Amino acid sequence: MDSFTRKKGKERAQDTESVDNPFIVRFKAPANETEEERIRRVRAFADAQKVSKQIDENLAESKKKIDRRKKAMKILLLGQAESGKSAVLKNFRMAFTPHQFQKERGVWKTIVQLNLIGSVKTILNALENNDSSEDLLSSITITPPQTPPTDDPVKRNHRKLHLRLSPLLSVETNVNKMLSVDAVASKDICVRAGSGWKSKLGFRDSTRSSFESMELPTHSQSANQEDLSRMLAASKDDIIQLWGDPEIQELLWSREIYLSSMPGFFLDEVARIAAPDYEPTDCDIVRARVRTVGVEEHHLIAETVANKGSEFYIADVGGSRGSRWTWVPYFDDVQAILFLAPLAFNQMLEEDPRVNRLEDTLMIWREICANVLLADCNIIVFFNKKDILQKTLESGVQVNRFVPSYGDQPNDVPSVTKYFKDRFKAYHKRLSPKPRAFISHETSAIDTHSTIALVIAVHDGIIRNNLQRSDML
Ligand SMILES: Nc1nc2c(ncn2[C@@H]2O[C@H](COP(=O)(O)OP(=O)(O)OP(=O)(O)O)[C@@H](O)[C@H]2O)c(=O)[nH]1
Ligand SMILES: [Mg+2]
């Protein structure tokens, strides 16, 4: 007699209690049950119990997570695409969870390599379009040029380079496929939040709970990454030759393709990055470009002595126009918004080249300031990309050509930064539903040294502010 059948008498006694319990009712022994039916029923009951236990455990884990989340600090990174939100997030992670971040180095190695090959593709595409006089914006191709042989030795050399680099581009295509890179018309690597792209590149996230799925890289995925490193090492000299070619520089210039000012630019460091033993530095990682699509939420449990164990959630959103509708659900319980405003006055949006970046940022800023859901939220502005502003002004670009209201104010970094700050401050004062302090910092998120110090100070400031608000000080 099995334990289930032995409990029959007891079960009967509990019948009144369990009459409402569908689980017990479902597995009650029917009258005239055969031995075979009984075995099947007992087995089904054991299976159901196992599933039920698993569900209870998951619910308990979810509840724990909800409770933890309630207590933790919640930060939201906002701003247009390419404003530097993900770069600031990386600085946060380096500051508070350096060990965890260290484990991701392999992922960033592959991304830096892909960024580098992306620049190579842009050059080859420009060359090919030049040859065939096709529109520059036609899709990027990995096929070698099909045009007939030429007597021009420069062109012949370019074609040879293109042919020799084709296998590298094929391997790159395989890695992009593996990452399910979105085939949107973008020059960037676009991976969807929650798609597990980092685990496909070999990163094991130990902060994830046991019931969250975590894909491990398959053998072929790891092989793809190895192929990429091998092919890059083998193509190193060709890439150096391609990038150093004065004819090509001239062509890129004439086509207004300014590679060195594009995100994810690594062509000046090919020798280091294509080396077989290449390991990305912190600066490489912050400069690596992956476009955020959707919202990536990161749960950080501080590892550093000063803040050990303190928990916070940082949501890093996709900033392109098509992604902004995904931001609103995160307004609900956020305590601080870090708003990234790039100090860019002479650039247009990639998704709409008619719209100036500064005007777009100001439009988002007005909406955030006026939002009643965010009335009690700390908002901190990072006027980012100060290094780029410096270079732009040094190259002689006049602000008033792009922003007529700038007038004849000096064309220097302090004056331009003040102009930005005053405009943001004025909207903040006018549109905030309740009075609140305007807090801002000037940053260059790729300067990890100063940005790490800043994010630690900002984190401490948010805690102090929240404590003051809850009258605990
Ligand atoms: N030179 C320079 N580059 C920066 C700075 N901040 C960010 N970048 C680079 O600009 C590119 C875009 O930065 P991201 O952090 O990916 O931008 P994002 O706001 O997350 O963009 P989306 O994910 O598209 O919304 C990356 O290659 C960064 O390394 C900066 O202060 N100076
Ligand atoms: Mg991003």
Side-chain angles (χ1 to χ4, degrees):
M1 195 189 275
D2 62 78
S3 63
F4 188 79
T5 316
R6 243 185 276 124
K7 280 185 200 152
K8 258 182 171 173
K10 207 170 160 194
E11 266 177 26
R12 234 175 274 124
Q14 289 172 341
D15 261 1
T16 38
E17 288 167 38
S18 42
V19 76
D20 293 331
N21 184 337
F23 193 70
I24 300 285
V25 173
R26 164 91 179 72
F27 291 100
K28 230 173 111 182
N32 307 324
E33 184 182 42
T34 65
E35 181 57 13
E36 202 180 312
E37 286 166 343
R38 187 190 64 77
I39 290 170
R40 237 182 298 144
R41 178 173 56 82
V42 170
R43 215 176 273 150
F45 179 71
D47 289 348
Q49 261 186 328
K50 223 186 275 169
V51 171
S52 163
K53 193 164 163 251
Q54 184 67 49
I55 291 171
D56 286 347
E57 280 171 11
N58 290 353
L59 284 175
E61 206 168 334
S62 297
K63 187 176 173 313
K64 234 194 285 172
K65 274 180 101 178
I66 291 168
D67 290 345
R68 276 172 100 167
R69 203 192 145 86
K70 267 191 204 150
K71 284 187 219 144
M73 179 196 291
K74 269 113 6 198
I75 298 175
L76 184 55
L77 291 162
L78 294 184
Q80 65 186 198
E82 283 186 35
S83 56
K85 299 175 294 297
S86 302
V88 167
L89 171 70
K90 289 173 197 165
N91 280 284
F92 259 100
R93 300 186 59 210
M94 280 189 247
F96 291 95
T97 55
H99 300 304
Q100 179 74 5
F101 194 66
Q102 178 66 23
K103 292 184 200 155
E104 273 190 33
R105 239 162 241 279
V107 171
W108 294 111
K109 174 180 172 173
T110 306
I111 298 297
V112 170
Q113 291 172 332
L114 290 175
N115 284 168
L116 175 60
I117 301 168
S119 299
V120 171
K121 269 165 76 168
T122 306
I123 298 176
L124 295 178
N125 199 34
L127 272 179
E128 189 166 340
N129 286 337
N130 193 42
D131 276 356
S132 56
S133 303
E134 278 173 13
D135 180 3
L136 182 70
L137 294 175
S138 67
S139 65
I140 288 168
T141 171
I142 61 159
T143 51
Q146 302 296 316
T147 32
T150 169
D151 289 338
D152 180 343
V154 176
K155 279 193 175 170
R156 242 195 350 252
N157 186 38
H158 290 166
R159 291 214 181 116
K160 229 191 288 167
L161 281 175
H162 196 165
L163 260 174
R164 286 211 300 260
L165 287 166
S166 297
L168 175 69
L169 304 190
S170 307
V171 177
E172 185 246 20
T173 305
N174 290 344
V175 177
N176 277 339
K177 264 192 207 144
M178 167 184 118
L179 290 175
S180 322
V181 167
D182 278 352
V184 290
S186 167
K187 59 187 185 342
D188 297 322
I189 303 171
C190 305
V191 283
R192 212 160 273 286
S195 65
W197 63 274
K198 285 186 186 166
S199 55
K200 284 179 197 157
L201 292 178
F203 171 59
R204 302 195 66 169
D205 185 353
S206 56
T207 62
R208 283 192 171 203
S209 60
S210 52
F211 65 89
E212 278 178 306
S213 71
M214 191 167 69
E215 269 183 75
L216 290 178
T218 61
H219 178 68
S220 73
Q221 285 168 347
S222 306
N224 276 335
Q225 279 172 275
E226 283 160 24
D227 283 351
L228 191 72
S229 296
R230 226 187 351 262
M231 284 307 307
L232 198 56
S235 311
K236 186 178 80 180
D237 294 337
D238 289 335
I239 300 175
I240 292 173
Q241 199 187 330
L242 191 76
W243 179 232
D245 187 322
E247 304 270 339
I248 290 179
Q249 292 289 340
E250 208 170 294
L251 170 72
L252 294 174
W253 189 256
S254 70
R255 298 275 175 128
E256 297 184 349
I257 301 172
Y258 307 118
L259 273 175
S260 56
S261 54
M262 288 182 184
F265 172 77
F266 291 99
L267 274 174
D268 280 343
E269 290 134 292
V270 181
R272 179 174 65 88
I273 291 166
D277 58 353
Y278 166 65
E279 286 293 332
T281 63
D282 287 349
C283 186
D284 291 345
I285 295 176
V286 179
R287 283 168 53 213
R289 169 67 174 155
V290 175
R291 174 184 291 250
T292 312
V293 181
V295 181
E296 275 188 13
E297 193 175 61
H298 294 255
H299 177 198
L300 271 59
I301 306 173
E303 297 163 359
T304 43
V305 180
N307 297 285
K308 193 143 187 93
S310 89
E311 295 191 35
F312 46 112
Y313 290 81
I314 307 187
D316 177 19
V317 304
S320 63
R321 284 185 157 186
S323 286
R324 293 178 193 165
W325 62 273
T326 61
W327 300 1
V328 183
Y330 291 82
F331 291 177
D332 216 19
D333 60 351
V334 63
Q335 284 145 351
I337 287 180
L338 300 190
F339 189 91
L340 271 288
L343 289 162
F345 60 86
N346 59 337
Q347 290 171 12
M348 302 294 161
L349 289 184
E350 191 197 314
E351 59 267 40
D352 187 349
R354 293 165 306 175
V355 179
N356 179 286
R357 277 190 177 275
L358 170 61
E359 291 312 322
D360 180 66
T361 294
L362 279 167
M363 189 202 69
I364 309 172
W365 177 242
R366 285 194 293 268
E367 286 184 17
I368 297 300
C369 287
N371 194 308
V372 283
L373 279 178
L374 302 172
D376 291 318
C377 183
N378 300 291
I379 306 183
I380 301 153
V381 187
F382 279 16
F383 290 110
N384 194 35
K385 302 203 173 183
K386 201 173 172 180
D387 57 314
I388 294 183
L389 174 67
Q390 176 128 26
K391 275 189 209 147
T392 309
L393 296 178
E394 277 169 8
S395 72
V397 181
Q398 294 297 312
V399 181
N400 57 11
R401 250 194 68 210
F402 297 88
V403 188
S405 63
Y406 190 74
D408 54 7
Q409 298 178 64
N411 216 60
D412 58 29
V413 174
S415 308
V416 178
T417 313
K418 183 174 179 311
Y419 171 84
F420 267 73
K421 206 182 270 184
D422 289 347
R423 286 194 73 176
F424 276 73
K425 205 170 174 178
Y427 284 125
H428 181 261
K429 191 167 177 197
R430 179 144 60 87
L431 299 173
S432 289
K434 293 179 194 173
R436 55 183 157 188
F438 178 78
I439 307 164
S440 70
H441 301 276
E442 292 155 29
T443 55
S444 170
I446 55 163
D447 173 358
T448 52
H449 193 69
S450 52
T451 312
I452 284 178
L454 176 65
V455 297
I456 292 172
V458 164
H459 169 266
D460 294 351
I462 298 169
I463 292 183
R464 267 201 311 280
N465 199 304
N466 287 343
L467 288 174
Q468 271 166 354
R469 280 203 189 171
S470 53
D471 291 322
M472 285 174 74
L473 277 184

